[in-house]
Amino acid sequence: MRQQLRSLTLIQGSDINRKPGRPKGGKSEQTRERILDAAEQLFADRGYDGASIRDVAAAAGLQIHSISYHFGPKEQLFDAVVARRADIMTGLRGAALETARQQAGAAAIPIKQLVRDYASPFIQSASHGDVGWRNYAALMGRLANSPLGTEIIARHYDDMAREYITELQRALAGADPEDVVEGFSAMVAAMLGICAATGRPERLSGRNAQRPPEESFEALVRFHTAGFLALTIA
Amino acid sequence: MRQQLRSLTLIQGSDINRKPGRPKGGKSEQTRERILDAAEQLFADRGYDGASIRDVAAAAGLQIHSISYHFGPKEQLFDAVVARRADIMTGLRGAALETARQQAGAAAIPIKQLVRDYASPFIQSASHGDVGWRNYAALMGRLANSPLGTEIIARHYDDMAREYITELQRALAGADPEDVVEGFSAMVAAMLGICAATGRPERLSGRNAQRPPEESFEALVRFHTAGFLALTIA
DNA sequence: TATTTATTTGTACGTATGTATAATTTAATG
DNA sequence: CATTAAATTATACATACGTACAAATAAATA
């Protein structure tokens, strides 16, 4: 939205299209990242309506208007927060899918691999990534069943989701395609639940600390792979 | 909170403890229900922070202060909304569990029956109940991964959840108990996702209308039963 | 009917909200 | 250095928020 059409001549010194004045995107890219980090954390902690633009500005060490200057109205800021890491996530999933397709050749990709490849980037990022990824994971969990959330998720995640669903349906030829979509939705919900860090699993199992997400991930893969396979049995 | 200790002598005319003045809970019980209905819908549509007390009052056809008069501050109203139908839900699940225990005798309750008995009351209410149940289901979906939501869910749902988990662990003696908790969480997340009516399954499958929740329910039972059973295989 | 309490209304307070406008500072240019 | 545009600051606006207080009304009693 605020991206500039860079001039075509690449050598900066001899740039003939170069207009006078301070160029865009110099130092401000850091500022934008700082705003997104702050917004990510606050939206994750308090939700979309619970976090104010003022909170974000204060957390980023800026004045209020700097937020809307860089991102426009609140909803666009929210979208930008989701989009930033969604693009990374989609890149990882796309690469994994390409590899899997090459490995499988003409055959269908194994269910277990599809489950693993879709859930792994998210769970790995949420558990091994920096605090930003943890905040992002919590935020995505909150978004899951809200109108605004699903709208934004649709924009940034549905295309790749459909690719995985297509492969799942191919691997589960005997199953009702709608059941496969149902299974995919269940898998995503479980993945988000693991990373949301709500503390409910601990409360239900009597544990005092959160289970390492890798263990949860392995359980998820086994559980949902078996679930998918059960859909083929009429 | 605002319930009164009814006098012990049951015959109203000869009530010796009866104090003068207008008695509590007469017409106001309808008002309370009307407030809860309005709050339920608004919280479901806009979330806790997105729905204001003024909105609730207007939807119920009352002045602002009537809300806090009956329910205290906003968070207690929210809790009351969740609690009302949580009690019904817990009653149904408790009755189903008792029946299942009697049927099973000394043996473990079958996994499929536990999955069915836990998810069925919610999905049936959300699909066949009145609009209030549909709103409630959407609200519970929104709550699932938020801090305030999990706090309230813990208060009203965790006891019965632990009972079902105990039975699941008994039926899955070979499985890691923590994996079983993980599976239970996945089942709940899927159940909420089905009833949240976000439109995402339709978007992912190309359907134009929502799938009948009964079909989704049958798929959920098959999927998650198989998932649980897979946890016993080392 | 007079009295007592439950319930509802009307109004107000202090603060927080998203957004917009104008002025200022910063960083590059020729 | 003068100039141009980006980036930041400062301030303001109109509205919405949760909560509280005082008054009025309603429904039962003796």
Side-chain angles (χ1 to χ4, degrees):
Chain A
M1 171 202 181
R2 197 156 274 281
Q3 281 170 342
Q4 194 181 31
L5 209 65
R6 284 299 194 163
S7 82
L8 293 174
T9 57
L10 295 175
I11 304 146
Q12 197 171 22
S14 64
D15 190 339
I16 202 157
N17 296 36
R18 185 67 176 81
K19 291 189 192 160
R22 180 175 180 177
K24 269 187 192 170
K27 185 189 148 203
S28 78
E29 200 55 37
Q30 301 171 23
T31 307
R32 286 173 58 93
E33 292 292 313
R34 199 150 40 94
I35 293 172
L36 289 178
D37 289 342
E40 187 171 63
Q41 161 148 28
L42 286 161
F43 284 139
D45 289 347
R46 309 180 194 175
Y48 177 76
D49 289 292
S52 72
I53 296 184
R54 277 173 178 77
D55 293 335
V56 173
L62 293 167
Q63 296 298 318
I64 309 165
H65 188 66
S66 292
I67 312 297
S68 47
Y69 173 77
H70 284 288
F71 294 98
K74 189 180 187 183
E75 216 170 289
Q76 287 186 30
L77 169 65
F78 195 55
D79 188 273
V81 169
V82 176
R84 177 172 57 158
R85 299 194 201 263
D87 292 346
I88 298 172
M89 211 39 62
T90 297
L92 292 170
R93 284 172 177 154
L97 190 56
E98 198 176 348
T99 302
R101 278 174 176 150
Q102 286 177 356
Q103 285 176 352
I109 302 169
I111 300 292
K112 178 174 279 189
Q113 189 172 3
L114 289 167
V115 172
R116 197 177 284 277
D117 285 353
Y118 194 86
S120 174
F122 191 80
I123 294 181
Q124 292 299 321
S125 300
S127 55
H128 293 307
D130 58 15
V131 70
W133 274 108
R134 286 200 293 281
N135 290 331
Y136 186 75
L139 174 59
M140 296 308 293
R142 288 193 81 140
L143 257 58
N145 289 330
S146 73
L148 175 59
T150 43
E151 178 199 318
I152 295 179
I153 285 175
R155 185 153 50 244
H156 298 290
Y157 283 99
D158 275 12
D159 282 347
M160 184 55 66
R162 267 187 283 264
E163 291 219 48
Y164 273 79
I165 288 170
T166 301
E167 293 297 340
L168 285 167
Q169 288 170 338
R170 193 177 159 218
L172 297 163
D176 181 343
E178 303 238 31
D179 283 356
V180 176
V181 173
E182 212 89 60
F184 177 83
S185 301
M187 180 191 71
V188 171
M191 177 193 79
L192 293 173
I194 287 172
C195 300
T198 61
R200 193 171 195 223
E202 295 85 322
R203 229 174 291 121
L204 291 177
S205 71
R207 235 173 183 271
N208 35 12
Q210 198 195 353
R211 198 182 188 198
E214 296 81 6
E215 292 183 24
S216 299
F217 172 64
E218 288 305 322
L220 178 143
V221 170
R222 265 203 290 165
F223 189 98
H224 288 80
T225 300
F228 276 118
L229 288 171
L231 297 178
T232 57
I233 306 158
Chain B
M1 172 202 179
R2 198 157 274 280
Q3 282 170 341
Q4 194 182 30
L5 210 63
R6 284 298 194 165
S7 82
L8 294 174
T9 58
L10 295 175
I11 305 146
Q12 195 172 20
S14 64
D15 189 341
I16 203 158
N17 295 37
R18 185 68 177 80
K19 292 190 193 158
R22 180 177 179 175
K24 269 188 193 168
K27 183 189 148 203
S28 77
E29 200 55 37
Q30 303 171 21
T31 306
R32 286 172 57 92
E33 292 291 314
R34 199 148 42 94
I35 292 172
L36 290 178
D37 289 341
E40 189 170 63
Q41 161 148 29
L42 285 162
F43 285 139
D45 289 347
R46 310 179 194 174
Y48 177 75
D49 289 293
S52 71
I53 296 184
R54 278 174 176 77
D55 294 335
V56 173
L62 293 168
Q63 296 297 320
I64 309 164
H65 188 65
S66 292
I67 312 298
S68 46
Y69 172 77
H70 284 288
F71 294 99
K74 188 181 186 181
E75 216 170 288
Q76 286 186 32
L77 169 65
F78 194 55
D79 188 273
V81 168
V82 176
R84 176 172 58 158
R85 300 194 201 263
D87 291 347
I88 298 172
M89 212 38 63
T90 297
L92 291 170
R93 284 171 177 153
L97 190 56
E98 197 176 349
T99 301
R101 278 173 175 150
Q102 286 176 356
Q103 286 176 352
I109 302 170
I111 300 291
K112 179 174 279 189
Q113 188 172 5
L114 289 167
V115 173
R116 198 177 285 278
D117 285 354
Y118 194 86
S120 174
F122 192 80
I123 295 181
Q124 293 298 322
S125 300
S127 54
H128 293 307
D130 59 14
V131 70
W133 274 108
R134 285 200 293 281
N135 290 330
Y136 185 76
L139 174 60
M140 296 307 293
R142 287 193 82 140
L143 256 58
N145 290 331
S146 74
L148 175 59
T150 43
E151 178 199 317
I152 295 180
I153 285 175
R155 186 152 51 244
H156 297 291
Y157 282 100
D158 274 12
D159 282 348
M160 183 58 65
R162 267 187 283 265
E163 291 219 48
Y164 272 80
I165 287 170
T166 302
E167 294 296 340
L168 285 166
Q169 288 171 337
R170 193 177 160 218
L172 297 162
D176 181 342
E178 303 238 33
D179 283 355
V180 176
V181 173
E182 212 89 60
F184 178 83
S185 301
M187 179 190 72
V188 171
M191 177 192 79
L192 294 173
I194 287 172
C195 300
T198 61
R200 193 171 194 222
E202 295 84 324
R203 227 173 294 121
L204 290 177
S205 71
R207 235 174 184 270
N208 36 11
Q210 198 195 354
R211 198 182 189 198
E214 296 82 5
E215 293 183 25
S216 300
F217 172 65
E218 288 306 321
L220 178 144
V221 170
R222 264 203 293 165
F223 189 99
H224 288 80
T225 301
F228 277 117
L229 288 171
L231 297 178
T232 57
I233 307 159

